[in-house]
Amino acid sequence: MTSSPGPVVQRALLSKQLTEIRHRSGRSEDEAAAGLGWPTGRLIRIESGLDLPAPAELAELIGFYGIDDEKLSQRLHGLAEGGATAGWWEPYKAHIDDPAFYTYLQHEAGTSKVEQFQSALVPGLLQTERYAVSVLRQFFPGIGESRLNALVEMRMRRQAELEGRLQVFVIDESVIQRRVGGADVMREQIGKILTFARMPHITVQVLPLSEGESFGIRGPFGLLSFAEGLGHVLYLERTPGSVTYVRSCAETAAHRAAFLSLRQTALSDRQSESLIVEVARSLDDM
C-alpha cells in the first residue's frame, strides 16, 4: 500500500544523519550547542530522536554546519516533515492494551524486512479475518464487537501496509494442522497462506514435527530489519497484541542466528508448499 518508511523511522533517520553531520564537523554536543546558542539538552533531544526540530531549528542547523548540498538539505527537511506525520495506526490506539505492541506497530510500519517464527498460531501478517476473529475471541473472552472489529481491521491494514516488503516466516507444522475456528475457517486460512507464499516478496517455510526439539520451543519471536544502518529490533510475542522488546545486542544476535538455523532445519519453500497443499486437500475431503 505504501513505500513510506513511516514517521518513527524517518525520525530515527533524521536524528542519525544530524548526529553524523555534527561528528563530521568535529564538534562535541556542548560545542555545537554553544555555537547555536542552544541549551545542550535541546540538541541532545533532537539527535536522540526524542524531539523533532522545528523548521526554523532545522534551517539553523543546516546553516550552522555549512550544508550547501541542496539534495541533502531537502532530504533533512523531508525527514522532518515525514517524522511529524500521523501514523496509520493512531486511530486504533484506544483498542490496544499493551503499550509495547503499540510501539511495535510503529516500528513494523518502517521495517524493510520482517522475519518471524511462530510455534502455535498463523502469524498475524498471514491471517484471514475469520481466523483472526477466532484467535482474538479465545485470548480476549467477552471482547466487544466494536473492539473485535477494530483489531481485525488493524491486522488486515498491517498486511496491506507491508505489501511489497520482504517477509520471511517459519511456522511449526502444528500451526497448519491445528483447526482454529473449525475446518471451514482453516480451509480459507490455508488458502491465504498459499497465496502469500507464492508472492515474490514473501517466504513461508514449515518446520516439520519430525524435527523434534529446536530453538523454536522457546516460543514465537520476530526480527525487524531497517534500511540505512538503523539495525534490527527483536521482539518476543507473549499473546496476540502483546510483545516484549529485547534490547540486548547479544540476544538479538543470538535470535538472528537461531532464525537462520530454523530456516535451514525447516522444509524448503517448495517442500513447505507441498505440505500446505496436502493439508488443504485433507480439509477439502471433510
Side-chain angles (χ1 to χ4, degrees), residues 145-264:
E145 286 299 310
S146 176
R147 185 183 181 211
L148 176 64
N149 291 337
L151 291 177
V152 172
E153 180 183 285
M154 181 181 71
R155 195 157 296 191
M156 299 304 110
R157 179 66 183 270
R158 288 169 58 202
Q159 295 175 10
E161 289 290 333
L162 290 179
E163 184 178 349
R165 301 192 208 180
L166 293 176
Q167 300 170 56
V168 182
F169 302 96
V170 177
I171 57 176
D172 191 83
E173 183 181 345
S174 63
V175 169
I176 57 174
Q177 297 287 1
R178 183 173 293 107
R179 293 174 182 175
V180 173
D184 286 344
V185 170
M186 203 61 201
R187 186 180 297 111
E188 179 187 36
Q189 178 60 74
I190 291 294
K192 185 167 185 176
I193 292 174
L194 284 171
T195 298
F196 273 139
R198 290 164 179 164
M199 293 180 178
H201 62 286
I202 296 179
T203 299
V204 178
Q205 291 180 251
V206 177
L207 183 67
L209 294 172
S210 59
E211 284 299 326
E213 74 278 1
S214 69
F215 189 94
I217 64 174
R218 300 187 186 191
F221 67 91
L223 293 151
L224 300 178
S225 300
F226 301 91
E228 301 189 55
L230 291 182
H232 311 278
V233 169
L234 166 67
Y235 63 94
L236 310 178
E237 186 173 323
R238 300 196 300 270
T239 63
S242 180
V243 299
T244 298
Y245 277 96
V246 179
R247 303 188 184 280
S248 164
C249 292
E251 193 161 355
T252 298
H255 278 75
R256 285 181 58 76
F259 189 78
L260 178 60
S261 177
L262 285 167
R263 289 200 66 187
Q264 292 171 338

Side-chain angles (χ1 to χ4, degrees), residues 265-277:
T265 304
L267 300 176
S268 68
D269 302 10
R270 289 187 178 182
Q271 291 171 326
S272 296
E273 181 176 338
S274 296
L275 178 57
I276 296 170
V277 167

Side-chain angles (χ1 to χ4, degrees), residues 7-269:
V8 171
V9 170
Q10 290 185 81
R11 289 172 73 116
L13 288 171
L14 177 62
S15 63
K16 178 176 180 287
Q17 194 135 29
L18 288 174
T19 302
E20 290 173 348
I21 289 169
R22 177 177 59 76
H23 286 162
R24 287 198 297 269
S25 77
R27 296 178 175 91
S28 67
E29 292 169 339
D30 288 334
E31 289 169 339
L36 288 159
W38 294 3
T40 302
R42 178 59 182 158
L43 182 63
I44 290 174
R45 290 186 66 83
I46 289 173
E47 289 190 357
S48 64
L50 293 173
D51 288 344
L52 275 172
E57 289 177 317
L58 184 55
E60 192 173 353
L61 284 165
I62 289 171
F64 177 70
Y65 290 126
I67 298 172
D68 54 12
D69 183 332
E70 186 61 26
K71 287 186 177 180
L72 176 56
S73 178
Q74 289 178 355
R75 172 175 166 77
L76 293 173
H77 279 290
L79 290 173
E81 291 171 7
T85 58
W88 66 261
W89 53 83
E90 292 189 14
Y92 301 100
K93 186 174 184 179
H95 301 286
I96 299 172
D97 291 334
D98 184 10
F101 184 71
Y102 188 70
T103 301
Y104 166 79
L105 288 178
Q106 298 172 54
H107 283 101
E108 184 186 80
T111 190
S112 58
K113 184 178 183 180
V114 175
E115 296 171 297
Q116 191 176 120
F117 170 74
Q118 272 290 348
S119 56
L121 296 169
V122 173
L125 292 173
L126 301 179
Q127 290 179 9
T128 64
E129 291 188 20
R130 291 202 296 166
Y131 185 99
V133 166
S134 297
V135 170
L136 290 167
R137 281 185 170 152
Q138 182 65 34
F139 277 93
F140 303 109
I143 186 172
E145 286 299 310
S146 176
R147 185 183 181 211
L148 176 64
N149 291 337
L151 291 177
V152 172
E153 180 183 285
M154 181 181 71
R155 195 157 296 191
M156 299 304 110
R157 179 66 183 270
R158 288 169 58 202
Q159 295 175 10
E161 289 290 333
L162 290 179
E163 184 178 349
R165 301 192 208 180
L166 293 176
Q167 300 170 56
V168 182
F169 302 96
V170 177
I171 57 176
D172 191 83
E173 183 181 345
S174 63
V175 169
I176 57 174
Q177 297 287 1
R178 183 173 293 107
R179 293 174 182 175
V180 173
D184 286 344
V185 170
M186 203 61 201
R187 186 180 297 111
E188 179 187 36
Q189 178 60 74
I190 291 294
K192 185 167 185 176
I193 292 174
L194 284 171
T195 298
F196 273 139
R198 290 164 179 164
M199 293 180 178
H201 62 286
I202 296 179
T203 299
V204 178
Q205 291 180 251
V206 177
L207 183 67
L209 294 172
S210 59
E211 284 299 326
E213 74 278 1
S214 69
F215 189 94
I217 64 174
R218 300 187 186 191
F221 67 91
L223 293 151
L224 300 178
S225 300
F226 301 91
E228 301 189 55
L230 291 182
H232 311 278
V233 169
L234 166 67
Y235 63 94
L236 310 178
E237 186 173 323
R238 300 196 300 270
T239 63
S242 180
V243 299
T244 298
Y245 277 96
V246 179
R247 303 188 184 280
S248 164
C249 292
E251 193 161 355
T252 298
H255 278 75
R256 285 181 58 76
F259 189 78
L260 178 60
S261 177
L262 285 167
R263 289 200 66 187
Q264 292 171 338
T265 304
L267 300 176
S268 68
D269 302 10

